[in-house]
């Protein structure tokens, strides 16, 4: 059963929904409660994140950048990264290639 369009828990206080997945591009909406963390990780995919709501601190290869609503950030392939929601926040993440590790087709 596909998980496209289905909300699921990621980490504590974090929920996500894969909006669409094509052959080489994927979009996912992620909601954060205040103080929730997206744990540090890395993947071979290039990622762009758009802050739709709130304020969120990104840590990419030990460099911190705070995004507010309307800001974007690019995460290179293989970079160690994680986030901390400074307030209730929503991100729109885009990955290339598709994150097959998150997708159930």
């Amino acid at each position: 059963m596909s998980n496209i369009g289905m909300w699921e828990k990621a980490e504590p206080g974090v929920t996500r929904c894969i909006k669409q997945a094509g052959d080489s591009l994927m979009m996912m909406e992620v909601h954060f409660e205040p103080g929730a963390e997206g744990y540090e990780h890395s993947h071979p995919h290039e990622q762009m994140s758009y802050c739709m709501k709130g304020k969120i601190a990104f840590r990419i290869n030990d460099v911190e950048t705070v995004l507010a609503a309307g800001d974007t950030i690019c995460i290179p392939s293989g970079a160690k990264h994680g986030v901390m929601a400074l307030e209730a926040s929503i991100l729109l993440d885009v990955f290339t290639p598709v994150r097959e590790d998150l997708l159930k087709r």
Side-chain angles (χ1 to χ4, degrees):
M1 178 173 172
S2 173
N3 61 339
I4 295 176
M6 306 294 291
W7 285 96
E8 57 190 9
K9 290 183 185 270
E11 288 91 5
V14 182
T15 55
R16 66 182 175 218
C17 178
I18 297 170
K19 294 297 188 180
Q20 191 57 265
D23 292 332
S24 61
L25 192 63
M26 183 176 107
M27 183 181 293
M28 180 171 68
E29 185 173 336
V30 188
H31 290 208
F32 296 83
E33 294 176 5
E37 290 184 61
Y39 300 139
E40 186 178 73
H41 64 286
S42 66
H43 45 72
H45 313 81
E46 188 174 11
Q47 176 179 340
M48 290 193 77
S49 293
Y50 171 72
C51 184
M52 296 171 55
K53 174 187 171 186
K55 196 172 191 181
I56 198 156
F58 272 80
R59 190 160 204 66
I60 303 170
N61 290 333
D62 295 324
V63 175
E64 186 171 295
T65 304
V66 176
L67 270 61
D71 293 338
T72 61
I73 198 164
C74 184
I75 302 167
S77 171
K80 285 187 180 179
H81 60 285
V83 299
M84 166 76 74
L86 303 176
E87 57 190 57
S89 300
I90 299 174
L91 292 178
L92 185 63
D93 292 337
V94 178
F95 302 94
T96 187
V98 171
R99 291 278 313 264
E100 295 291 346
D101 58 317
L102 300 179
L103 192 59
K104 299 171 190 155
R105 295 193 199 233

